[in-house]
Amino acid sequence: MKKTTAITALLGAGAMTTGAVLAEPVEDNLVVNGQIEMTTWTERSDVVEGKLPEIISGWHFRGTETRAMQSDDFDNPGMIFVEDAQESWFTPVGDAGKSCASCHDDVAESMKGVRAVYPKWNEDAQEVRTLEMQVNACRTENMEAEPLDYTSTEMTSMVALISSVSRGMPVDVATDGPVSETWEAGKELYYTRTGQLELSCANCHEDNYGRMIRADHLSQGQINGFPVYRLKNTKLNSVHARFKGCVRDTRAETFAPGSPEFVALELYVASRGNGLSVEGPSVRN
Amino acid sequence: MAENVRPRVKAPRQASAGEAVTIKTLISHPMESGQRKDSDGNTIPRSIIHRFTCEFNGEIVVDVAMEPAISTNPYFEFEAVVPEAGDFKFTWYDDDGSVYEDTQSVALA
């Protein structure tokens, strides 16, 4: 792999002069349950042309034990939440007396491939919708139920369930056509420095992935593995909750989860991972 | 009172006589340690699973005393020798008096 040689060459010079800490992504293969073969390290797509030499899932930036946890559903604590959502799938809520299954039947069939293409343009609503927005649209319009809080455990578990049936399929979100305006807005945000530390997403996840930021191993910030079960807070974390945490870490006032800014950012960041496998729910630290 | 407690077991359905098989168990449980305080400064009462046992045809395979330092969703992985066809019975004892059970049958290959 090209990047490996480049970094090894750099390491000699770097160690002498600046003493920069480099920690490489680990070369390994992810196969879940001995069945689902994941693409976690691949050629760049057009989206990141000239920006990233290769696209690498966050899985490669985590430790051996953490990586192993994701390779078996029994060991993956994220699957506990998926099971909870499986129950909610069949539970009628709202005045219409419908459950998810009333319309969508078997989640493994009806939702296969859905995670891979979201965020996605919704023609009727004339807006870009994330999976969370779509779940809430279903709840309010079809089930006549209260919408779920954007980053609530119930919502994130449902997204994890929908994601779990697409595992192994390549992320393939559209960047042109009706979504292009939102995509450009997301790209703008990605490269905008925020907060007292004046950091953009790109400063860490494009310029410095593979390096350590204090005790953290910087990844490319790919979101193909979301929702993510994090060992540090022992729960599933949604994309927007993670964005919020990142922006907060730059010491800025953050956007709200579900805000148009984060929807745009999610679309752009998702497109940077086009070609990686859907991994959610993944395990990270 | 712990909510959403669900035991899970992964054990082979078949084994040859005398074979040591790997068994994995996990129970979803918050394992509240009793050391934490809520936002008003009141102690959150301890609520953990304090004992876990595995039996094979009535004979104890493991009997574990669990303490408050054990994390959320306790996970055990151990090996057990299967001398004959039979049932593994798994039991978790909660502080609140609840007992959660699961059984898994193993046939001889």
Side-chain angles (χ1 to χ4, degrees):
Chain A
M1 311 207 164
K2 256 183 292 172
K3 180 159 187 300
T4 315
T5 28
I7 284 195
T8 317
L10 266 175
L11 188 60
M16 301 275 281
T17 53
T18 61
V21 181
L22 292 169
E24 303 233 359
V26 185
E27 291 191 28
D28 197 354
N29 291 315
L30 176 57
V31 181
V32 174
N33 300 333
Q35 286 173 345
I36 313 169
E37 287 182 27
M38 299 279 195
T39 305
T40 52
W41 194 321
T42 184
E43 298 288 299
R44 60 160 183 259
S45 65
D46 294 344
V47 178
V48 288
E49 175 82 49
K51 300 188 173 80
L52 296 172
E54 288 164 309
I55 48 178
I56 310 168
S57 159
W59 183 76
H60 286 281
F61 295 85
R62 302 284 76 108
T64 314
E65 298 83 358
T66 313
R67 293 202 311 279
M69 281 176 96
Q70 201 187 319
S71 64
D72 186 324
D73 278 358
F74 193 86
D75 297 341
N76 181 344
M79 295 309 287
I80 294 171
F81 297 86
V82 168
E83 281 178 30
D84 288 344
Q86 194 99 45
E87 235 164 66
S88 322
W89 184 264
F90 293 102
T91 312
V93 283
D95 296 337
K98 288 181 185 172
S99 70
C100 305
S102 308
C103 297
H104 298 294
D105 208 13
D106 182 6
V107 62
E109 288 295 320
S110 61
M111 292 296 137
K112 197 175 169 63
V114 170
R115 168 77 274 187
V117 296
Y118 268 82
K120 185 184 170 193
W121 181 254
N122 185 297
E123 194 58 45
D124 295 334
Q126 291 288 303
E127 64 177 4
V128 175
R129 274 190 185 166
T130 62
L131 209 41
E132 281 92 342
M133 290 163 78
Q134 188 55 53
V135 168
N136 266 345
C138 253
R139 285 180 70 93
T140 52
E141 290 162 25
N142 304 328
M143 301 162 91
E144 294 169 39
E146 288 293 310
L148 295 171
D149 183 54
Y150 199 92
T151 54
S152 62
T153 299
E154 203 180 347
M155 172 62 90
T156 313
S157 303
M158 184 52 72
V159 173
L161 169 66
I162 294 168
S163 172
S164 69
V165 299
S166 300
R167 284 182 297 170
M169 300 173 75
V171 175
D172 186 20
V173 300
T175 58
D176 49 8
V179 305
S180 60
E181 202 179 310
T182 310
W183 185 83
E184 289 291 345
K187 186 178 178 185
E188 181 74 28
L189 268 174
Y190 191 88
Y191 289 100
T192 303
R193 289 168 182 265
T194 61
Q196 292 176 320
L197 297 182
E198 293 188 55
L199 290 169
S200 73
C201 309
N203 291 142
C204 286
H205 297 293
E206 187 170 291
D207 304 340
N208 285 299
Y209 70 88
R211 290 197 172 90
M212 302 297 287
I213 181 165
R214 302 186 72 180
D216 265 343
H217 194 189
L218 282 173
S219 72
Q220 289 186 346
Q222 300 288 359
I223 57 171
N224 61 310
F226 276 83
V228 166
Y229 181 87
R230 296 191 72 185
L231 301 168
K232 69 177 260 184
N233 60 12
T234 63
K235 68 182 185 78
L236 279 182
N237 296 263
S238 67
V239 177
H240 288 202
R242 180 67 267 207
F243 284 168
K244 189 178 158 187
C246 258
V247 177
R248 181 206 57 212
D249 289 349
T250 71
R251 300 190 191 163
E253 287 286 338
T254 84
F255 301 107
S259 63
E261 289 85 358
F262 274 172
V263 171
L265 186 60
E266 180 178 346
L267 173 64
Y268 176 69
V269 177
S271 74
R272 289 173 68 95
N274 273 354
L276 290 175
S277 293
V278 172
E279 276 179 46
S282 64
V283 185
R284 304 285 189 263
N285 49 343
Chain B
M1 181 79 188
E3 286 172 5
N4 274 334
V5 179
R6 197 181 306 154
R8 299 163 176 79
V9 171
K10 189 176 181 181
R13 307 220 170 267
Q14 276 199 333
S16 43
E19 186 188 346
V21 296
T22 301
I23 294 171
K24 296 176 177 181
T25 74
L26 185 150
I27 187 158
S28 49
H29 194 284
M31 296 293 280
E32 188 58 56
S33 70
Q35 303 289 328
R36 302 197 305 160
K37 293 193 166 65
D38 64 18
S39 50
D40 298 327
N42 304 315
T43 303
I44 305 172
R46 173 182 134 156
S47 169
I48 67 166
I49 302 230
H50 61 264
R51 186 178 172 214
F52 165 69
T53 61
C54 169
E55 292 164 51
F56 185 72
N57 288 348
E59 191 187 345
I60 289 277
V61 178
V62 288
D63 187 344
V64 187
M66 296 163 69
E67 302 292 343
I70 294 174
S71 311
T72 302
N73 305 336
Y75 170 93
F76 286 107
E77 182 176 334
F78 53 92
E79 288 191 343
V81 174
V82 180
E84 64 210 14
D87 298 329
F88 277 108
K89 187 178 164 207
F90 307 89
T91 318
W92 291 262
Y93 299 86
D94 197 311
D95 273 352
D96 66 14
S98 312
V99 174
Y100 313 102
E101 287 180 340
D102 200 350
T103 357
Q104 185 104 28
S105 303
V106 182
L108 283 191

